[in-house]
Amino acid sequence: MYENHRHHAAFMASVFQFGIYGLLSKTLPWVYRAYHSRGFSHAYFSAVMTVWIDVIREFMDQSASDILTIYEWMLTRHEETVQLSLRPAIEPDAGSTVWQLDYERFRDALLIGDVSVCLEIAQSRVDTAERMVDFFVHVLQPAMQAVGARWENGLISVAQEHLASAIVSRILASISTSGFSSAPTRGTAVVSAAANEFHEIGAWMLASCLESDGWDVQYLGANTPCSDLLDFVRSVKPDLLCISVAMIFNISAVKTVIDGVRSQPDLDGMRVLVGGQALLHDPDIFHVLKADAMATDCKSAMNVARALISRRASESRLS
């Protein structure tokens, strides 16, 4: 419950800061479903929203009227949100008939913690850069989304979700891109998860894809503080900065970094690419964040990265 309040405050701050009310509407059923599957009564949400409304009225002045309107709106649609939350989260398929059987076998092994089967699938399928990218997109990504859906539906525990994430991390560590990476000729890329973001698998997959595509990649991993990421970017001056954000309440950290980048004249030519689960429900958020582009998976991110640098080169020639 304490974590719920902390995350709620961070998320609502982002909603009001960026005006992402459509994302709020799409997120509410997820919150109800996830917390109800962990033992929270549906009545908790209406009760706590009533308290939040009382607190806003007591401690905030008339400038908070717009904030109060949103909370009252959430309270009035409580029953509708309950009904939407009763629909189970849907697990994805592989998105490719070629990879469907591998995906199903990998997913099932992942859910029972069978690391040997997961490693065997990865080692037998990943033998070129192209197949590595397809394996990430059609096996690893949907498998982790399936794990997330089962956690959201209350079918697996946090420990089981952590086990699955750890297995995927071991697999990523076992895949060496050096065997099929081309010389780094496209430029330098810094890849990082956002501050307070401990979901790093998406960023890790992207770093491997970019390395295989001829980028010199500096991968910083999970939870890189905004100030440290900015300091690092200023020192490296990469051609491309990629930031991954999985949890919606971490979006403001992404905006802090991008604002910091945009304020530096010597970083004017650097391109910023964002992605991650937090942005999938509202792809237009990248405009609000002032990023140059957004990608939904590591393969599209790799293609977008190429396009961004190609466009920059064209603009430089024209100028």
Side-chain angles (χ1 to χ4, degrees):
M1 190 178 293
Y2 173 81
E3 288 295 298
N4 176 46
H5 290 311
R6 186 169 67 86
H7 292 159
H8 170 83
F11 172 53
M12 293 305 295
S14 295
V15 168
F16 294 127
Q17 180 182 0
F18 306 128
I20 48 177
Y21 300 107
L23 183 59
L24 170 63
S25 178
K26 294 173 182 176
T27 302
L28 283 174
W30 178 90
V31 174
Y32 275 47
R33 185 184 304 113
Y35 278 89
H36 185 64
S37 70
R38 308 264 80 79
F40 280 68
S41 166
H42 286 132
Y44 161 77
F45 296 101
S46 57
V48 78
M49 277 189 279
T50 300
V51 172
W52 287 329
I53 289 170
D54 291 342
V55 169
I56 292 168
R57 285 173 173 161
E58 181 176 356
F59 292 99
M60 301 185 73
D61 58 27
Q62 290 301 313
S63 64
S65 59
D66 291 343
I67 294 176
L68 192 61
T69 297
I70 296 300
Y71 275 96
E72 290 171 340
W73 170 81
M74 287 192 289
L75 184 59
T76 58
R77 63 171 293 169
H78 168 70
E79 289 301 329
E80 179 184 351
T81 305
V82 170
Q83 293 306 311
L84 290 172
S85 73
L86 293 176
R87 303 173 185 174
I90 298 175
E91 296 182 26
D93 57 25
S96 166
T97 54
V98 174
W99 288 92
Q100 185 65 31
L101 291 178
D102 287 321
Y103 158 66
E104 292 175 359
R105 185 168 170 242
F106 184 93
R107 176 203 61 200
D108 294 345
L110 191 64
L111 286 165
I112 62 173
D114 193 335
V115 65
S116 61
V117 170
C118 292
L119 282 169
E120 181 271 318
I121 295 171
Q123 290 167 356
S124 64
R125 299 295 183 264
V126 178
D127 52 7
T128 65
E130 182 178 3
R131 284 177 67 82
M132 179 190 73
V133 174
D134 285 340
F135 175 73
F136 288 170
V137 172
H138 299 300
V139 178
L140 286 195
Q141 181 171 324
M144 288 307 299
Q145 289 172 338
V147 169
R150 295 203 184 188
W151 174 85
E152 188 179 334
N153 293 329
L155 299 177
I156 63 173
S157 68
V158 172
Q160 289 170 295
E161 186 270 336
H162 283 190
L163 175 60
S165 297
I167 290 174
V168 170
S169 294
R170 290 173 65 181
I171 288 169
L172 289 172
S174 75
I175 297 174
S176 173
T177 60
S178 60
F180 40 76
S181 293
S182 56
T185 57
R186 295 191 185 276
T188 301
V190 170
V191 181
S192 179
N196 197 43
E197 185 59 72
F198 294 92
H199 297 78
E200 65 169 322
I201 288 173
W204 193 342
M205 289 193 294
L206 175 58
S208 296
C209 290
L210 291 177
E211 283 180 346
S212 73
D213 196 42
W215 290 82
D216 179 8
V217 179
Q218 305 290 317
Y219 174 56
L220 305 185
N223 187 29
T224 306
C226 296
S227 59
D228 293 276
L229 178 53
L230 280 169
D231 287 344
F232 187 81
V233 167
R234 291 188 190 106
S235 66
V236 174
K237 292 183 174 56
D239 301 287
L240 179 68
L241 170 62
C242 304
I243 309 175
S244 175
V245 55
M247 305 307 293
I248 296 170
F249 46 78
N250 291 326
I251 289 176
S252 60
V254 179
K255 184 66 162 58
T256 297
V257 171
I258 296 176
D259 284 348
V261 166
R262 301 307 187 205
S263 70
Q264 300 294 313
D266 58 337
L267 298 178
D268 184 56
M270 192 182 75
R271 298 297 184 254
V272 181
L273 173 62
V274 294
Q277 195 70 23
L279 307 179
L280 294 184
H281 289 306
D282 191 350
D284 289 334
I285 291 178
F286 87 88
H287 293 297
V288 177
L289 297 175
K290 297 185 179 179
D292 292 292
M294 175 197 159
T296 57
D297 59 57
C298 55
K299 186 172 187 176
S300 65
M302 188 173 67
N303 293 329
V304 169
R306 293 177 185 173
L308 286 174
I309 298 305
S310 176
R311 190 184 311 151
R312 188 186 71 172
S314 299
E315 291 169 354
S316 297
R317 287 193 296 268
L318 291 174
S319 62

